[in-house]
Amino acid sequence: MKDRKEIRWEKAQVYEKGWWAANRGMVIESEAFRQWAVTLRAELRSLLDIDAATRVLEVGSGPIGTVNYLPGDHRYGIDPLEHYYSTVEQFTAIRDPQVKYLTAKGEALPFPAASFDLVIIVNVIDHCEDPGQVIAEVNRVLRPGGIVYLSHNIYNSWGKFVRTCMEKFEVDKGHPYTM
């Protein structure tokens, strides 16, 4: 029997796929992702020079992700909806064919331990079934000394109250968690 978290996550996935299906004709802002990749490289430059040898994983890459615009021969994007994204020509047409996109959840990354130099998690943790398990998996696949780039919206106590009410009544179906 499915627990509440799993049921809520499945509803969020249905919502997310529906959103992309309804909006797939929109122009994906590939320039925004490209600029984000430039910013990311600049922010991390003192810690990690992202080059052809850097092993990069983006958890929750969505249809293209930032990983699409980073250099490297070892780039992966995972998303539970990849099986859908890979069928949409508007998405696949702008993807770098060297990026390996896989259908997977952050809670069960399909990689051996210590596989990546950089793991990117942007606007993902609040979409997950079990955020703690995602962090554990990221820690597992990150090589010693590797970098995690995590970005997430957080709220003050009033904002958390409003978001919690939205979650309880499933007003925002795409975000099972609020931090």
Side-chain angles (χ1 to χ4, degrees):
M1 185 170 186
K2 295 178 183 178
D3 67 9
R4 183 190 152 297
K5 288 190 329 184
E6 186 177 8
I7 292 167
R8 180 66 178 92
W9 180 81
E10 287 175 354
K11 286 180 181 180
Q13 294 308 293
V14 169
Y15 169 83
E16 192 81 11
K17 182 179 177 188
W19 189 89
W20 283 108
N23 294 288
R24 71 182 186 181
M26 72 179 207
V27 175
I28 295 291
E29 294 292 330
S30 60
E31 186 55 33
F33 283 106
R34 187 183 330 278
Q35 286 303 314
W36 179 245
V38 168
T39 300
L40 179 69
R41 289 182 76 190
E43 287 181 5
L44 295 180
R45 186 163 285 124
S46 66
L47 301 170
L48 177 68
D49 184 25
I50 303 170
D51 59 21
T54 307
R55 298 186 59 85
V56 180
L57 169 64
E58 184 167 9
V59 176
S61 59
I64 53 173
T66 304
V67 70
N68 195 67
Y69 298 101
L70 294 173
D73 298 329
H74 311 283
R75 294 174 291 149
Y76 296 84
I78 64 118
D79 197 287
L81 294 176
E82 173 53 26
H83 62 281
Y84 167 69
Y85 300 140
S86 66
T87 67
V88 179
E89 199 230 330
Q90 290 94 333
F91 302 151
T92 59
I94 57 177
R95 285 181 168 182
D96 181 337
Q98 289 186 331
V99 176
K100 294 155 201 83
Y101 291 95
L102 304 169
T103 301
K105 292 171 62 175
E107 291 88 348
L109 297 174
F111 304 102
S115 295
F116 294 98
D117 302 303
L118 171 64
V119 178
I120 302 166
I121 312 170
V122 175
N123 187 30
V124 171
I125 291 295
D126 54 339
H127 292 264
C128 297
E129 182 177 345
D130 186 341
Q133 181 60 34
V134 173
I135 298 302
E137 276 292 280
V138 166
N139 187 52
R140 183 184 66 77
V141 301
L142 194 66
R143 70 161 175 77
I147 304 292
V148 175
Y149 189 91
L150 186 141
S151 175
H152 175 69
N153 293 328
I154 57 172
Y155 301 93
N156 63 23
S157 57
W158 175 247
K160 173 126 173 80
F161 171 75
V162 171
R163 294 288 310 167
T164 300
C165 290
M166 290 174 71
E167 289 167 18
K168 180 176 173 93
F169 297 106
E170 296 182 15
V171 173
D172 182 357
K173 293 178 174 67
H175 298 87
Y177 288 94
T178 296
M179 282 47 166

